[in-house]
Amino acid sequence: YPCVPWQSQLWTLAVTQFKVFRFSESRFWLEMSSSKLDPIDNGGKTDKYTWTQTLSEVTVTIPLPPGTRAKMLAVDFEPTSLTAGLKGQAPIASGATHASIKAEDCTWQIEDGNLILYLSKVNTMTWWPKVLAGDPEIDTTDTRA
């Protein structure tokens, strides 16, 4: 990474693509950082759901309105996409998956007021940086088996 030394006691930065690292009492370095997010339990968080993963499975947790029952949900798994939400409403999560899934092996359940989706990966030797196209990506170099 390219580094730029700055001679100053205090620098205030409002630039998100840089991280500040303190080297000594009077010297700072700016380092280019990735736009990818740090993983949370090998997964991440979007505004609609959280997700975790192992090498073989992705688990998506979607909060539901109180009183939601299974018969009120519409969940569909396809080899390269998924759709999940309340019947008659816009899907909560919908789109192309990052990679292919074994649709016939995917399942779901309601637990503690959440819709839990279990996605079975076709390629069990890779970490996913995101669940759906357009989601923020995590840094998969920091995932743990």
Side-chain angles (χ1 to χ4, degrees):
Y1 294 105
C3 292
V4 180
W6 293 88
Q7 294 289 334
S8 175
Q9 289 296 322
L10 179 64
W11 279 82
T12 302
L13 297 175
V15 181
T16 58
Q17 73 251 27
F18 291 99
K19 289 183 181 175
V20 178
F21 295 92
R22 187 173 203 140
F23 179 72
S24 69
E25 289 297 300
S26 63
R27 181 170 264 190
F28 291 84
W29 262 258
L30 298 178
E31 181 180 281
M32 294 298 292
S33 70
S34 169
S35 62
K36 296 180 180 177
L37 303 171
D38 291 332
I40 302 166
D41 293 329
N42 294 338
K45 184 174 184 173
T46 72
D47 58 337
K48 297 181 180 181
Y49 59 85
T50 58
W51 63 282
T52 60
Q53 68 179 315
T54 63
L55 281 171
S56 61
E57 185 176 74
V58 175
T59 303
V60 179
T61 303
I62 303 170
L64 295 171
T68 302
R69 300 179 49 82
K71 65 182 177 182
M72 301 166 71
L73 298 172
V75 179
D76 183 45
F77 301 109
E78 298 293 331
T80 58
S81 66
L82 72 86
T83 303
L86 295 168
K87 289 180 183 176
Q89 296 183 22
I92 299 169
S94 180
T97 53
H98 169 72
S100 296
I101 58 175
K102 299 176 192 171
E104 66 279 359
D105 293 341
C106 296
T107 60
W108 62 273
Q109 69 179 30
I110 295 177
E111 181 179 302
D112 298 327
N114 296 303
L115 172 60
I116 314 292
L117 308 176
Y118 301 99
L119 311 178
S120 181
K121 296 179 181 179
V122 169
N123 182 348
T124 59
M125 295 307 294
T126 60
W127 295 107
W128 287 14
K130 59 188 173 185
V131 177
L132 298 175
D135 282 350
E137 293 190 10
I138 63 164
D139 182 359
T140 58
T141 61
D142 200 19
T143 52
R144 293 167 177 62

